Amino acid sequence: MESQNWWVTKKLSDLNHQEWESLCDRCGLCCLHKLENEETKDVFYTSVHCALFDTKKCQCQKYNDRFKLVPDCINITIENLPAIANWLPNSCAYKRLYLNQELPSWHPLLNQNEVKFNVKKILRDNLISEKKVNEDSIEDYIIEDSAINFPK
């Protein structure tokens, strides 16, 4: 990676694969099922996670094969970012850079330490696999916004 703060000087569309992937802080919020109010377009997170999500490691168990194994897994790209930004948490580096905002102070690119904030810590192990939830009852698992708001 060229400069220390390449994410500040480069446009998202100019990032190489390694740079793009390093923007992800591995919070795990992408792996939670979300619901959208069709009238207001508000997005609600649930505590229901993808079957591939490892709650102990807070990461996908099959990251490289996730799109083959989970057909509705969304690949965040520069092309689809405008359409899905509303579905990403406010702490998400992809969303923040797209909106011309700075990375949060705890982001791994700014702090070489392990990410201190992730789904497992924020929700304190109150996650449930989609395998254990009836799709018709997913609304019962909506979580409070405060549970997913990361510190800045």
Side-chain angles (χ1 to χ4, degrees), residues 104-120:
S105 61
W106 49 263
H107 193 280
L109 289 172
L110 298 172
N111 271 313
Q112 294 303 312
N113 300 329
E114 182 180 330
V115 176
K116 293 182 171 71
F117 309 103
N118 60 41
V119 168
K120 184 176 183 290

Side-chain angles (χ1 to χ4, degrees), residues 20-146:
W20 183 263
E21 286 290 317
S22 69
L23 289 177
C24 180
D25 60 36
R26 308 296 189 253
C27 71
L29 291 172
C30 287
C31 300
L32 297 183
H33 287 256
K34 297 156 204 70
L35 300 172
E36 182 178 47
N37 180 314
E38 292 180 15
E39 292 175 17
T40 66
K41 300 301 180 197
D42 290 336
V43 175
F44 301 92
Y45 283 77
T46 72
S47 57
V48 179
H49 65 80
C50 170
L52 296 180
F53 187 68
D54 181 333
T55 57
K56 289 185 176 45
K57 294 181 180 177
C58 198
Q59 65 187 24
C60 182
Q61 297 174 51
K62 304 284 184 181
Y63 187 77
N64 292 330
D65 296 322
R66 67 194 185 278
F67 304 119
K68 291 181 220 161
L69 299 169
V70 181
D72 59 349
C73 182
I74 296 175
N75 185 16
I76 301 172
T77 65
I78 189 62
E79 292 79 20
N80 69 9
L81 188 54
I84 65 171
N86 189 44
W87 286 73
L88 299 173
N90 291 332
S91 59
C92 176
Y94 299 112
K95 179 177 183 173
R96 294 183 68 82
L97 295 178
Y98 171 71
L99 297 174
N100 295 314
Q101 298 173 346
E102 293 181 2
L103 294 180
S105 61
W106 49 263
H107 193 280
L109 289 172
L110 298 172
N111 271 313
Q112 294 303 312
N113 300 329
E114 182 180 330
V115 176
K116 293 182 171 71
F117 309 103
N118 60 41
V119 168
K120 184 176 183 290
K121 291 178 184 175
I122 297 290
L123 299 179
R124 293 179 177 72
D125 297 323
N126 290 326
L127 301 178
I128 185 168
S129 173
E130 65 188 3
K131 291 180 178 180
K132 297 179 180 179
V133 174
N134 180 323
E135 192 174 319
D136 295 334
S137 67
I138 198 163
E139 287 181 3
D140 296 340
Y141 296 90
I142 290 175
I143 55 179
E144 297 293 322
D145 281 345
S146 60

